[in-house]
Amino acid sequence: MSKVKWNLDPAHSELMFKVKHLMISTVTGHFKIFSLTVETEGESFLSPSAIELKADVESINTNNEQRDTHLKSEDFLDSVKHSHIIFKGNRLEGNEDEGKIYGELTIRGVTKEIVVHVEHGGIVVDPYGQTKAGFTVDGKISRKEFGLVWNAVTEAGNIVVGDEVKFSGEIQLIRQV
């Protein structure tokens, strides 16, 4: 069986994250620019030989320019020194419908093993003859484990930014010919 390469369809994909603010509400953000390549044996995603996601830190968007600038600064992601967040998947456990991808996530030069839950929506041929595969992904990390330790405390003693970062994505891949 031959290797098949799949690339992200950016017009039909999104990558989001959520973090608690003041421990009473949640702020949502997304990356406007990211790429994803997957290599499989044939069209089966059960044993991918390569998975690589790269999110452009400069493209972060939380619908607040001041907050976005702070997230790109040395206090958080330090986009000048670390332009991308990178995930490299190395193992999948599951079945045709859902599973877990194990891999290494690198943020701000710190690499940690993480697990991403994935649901496979299916494979179809679109009206233009392109073979597409759809996925929903989600997971969570501790931002402090990646060196993102900036925080402040309110007068009442509340933490400004939560440690847990939840991420999710709606992913559509295009089979490369």
Side-chain angles (χ1 to χ4, degrees), residues 37 62 71 78-80 84-85 91-92 97 109 116-117 135 146:
T37 56
T62 64
L71 289 172
D78 196 1
S79 66
V80 172
H84 289 87
I85 294 172
R91 190 173 96 246
L92 180 126
D97 298 323
V116 178
H117 180 260
F135 300 90
F146 291 89

Side-chain angles (χ1 to χ4, degrees), residues 125-148:
V125 177
D126 73 8
Y128 306 101
Q130 295 180 311
T131 301
K132 303 231 180 148
F135 300 90
T136 298
V137 298
D138 63 74
K140 59 186 173 183
I141 61 166
S142 159
R143 68 180 177 90
K144 292 177 183 172
E145 289 182 6
F146 291 89
L148 306 176

Side-chain angles (χ1 to χ4, degrees), residues 14-169:
E14 57 187 359
L15 182 60
M16 301 152 295
F17 60 91
K18 293 180 178 288
V19 180
K20 284 285 189 187
H21 181 252
L22 299 174
M23 307 317 289
I24 60 169
S25 65
T26 301
V27 170
T28 301
H30 69 277
F31 291 92
K32 292 191 273 184
I33 300 170
F34 66 101
S35 63
L36 174 63
T37 56
V38 178
E39 197 170 271
T40 59
E41 293 294 329
E43 289 193 3
S44 173
F45 285 91
L46 288 177
S47 56
S49 55
I51 299 171
E52 183 175 273
L53 178 133
K54 290 177 83 171
D56 182 335
V57 174
E58 280 294 318
S59 77
I60 201 166
N61 184 331
T62 64
N63 291 320
N64 181 291
E65 190 175 331
Q66 184 178 3
R67 180 174 45 230
D68 295 347
T69 300
H70 192 202
L71 289 172
K72 296 174 201 176
S73 76
E74 291 178 1
D75 284 346
F76 286 99
L77 297 170
D78 196 1
S79 66
V80 172
K81 292 181 185 168
H82 307 282
S83 60
H84 289 87
I85 294 172
I86 300 170
F87 174 75
K88 291 184 179 182
N90 52 36
R91 190 173 96 246
L92 180 126
E93 290 179 358
N95 56 47
E96 288 287 343
D97 298 323
E98 64 180 326
K100 294 178 181 177
I101 300 172
Y102 295 82
E104 295 182 336
L105 179 65
T106 302
I107 300 175
R108 198 181 158 129
V110 177
T111 302
K112 299 278 184 189
E113 190 82 18
I114 69 162
V115 178
V116 178
H117 180 260
V118 61
E119 292 179 28
H120 186 206
I123 298 175
V124 299
V125 177
D126 73 8
Y128 306 101
Q130 295 180 311
T131 301
K132 303 231 180 148
F135 300 90
T136 298
V137 298
D138 63 74
K140 59 186 173 183
I141 61 166
S142 159
R143 68 180 177 90
K144 292 177 183 172
E145 289 182 6
F146 291 89
L148 306 176
V149 296
W150 181 92
N151 220 329
V153 179
T154 66
E155 286 183 22
N158 290 340
I159 301 170
V160 174
V161 182
D163 175 45
E164 183 179 83
V165 179
K166 294 179 181 178
F167 59 87
S168 62

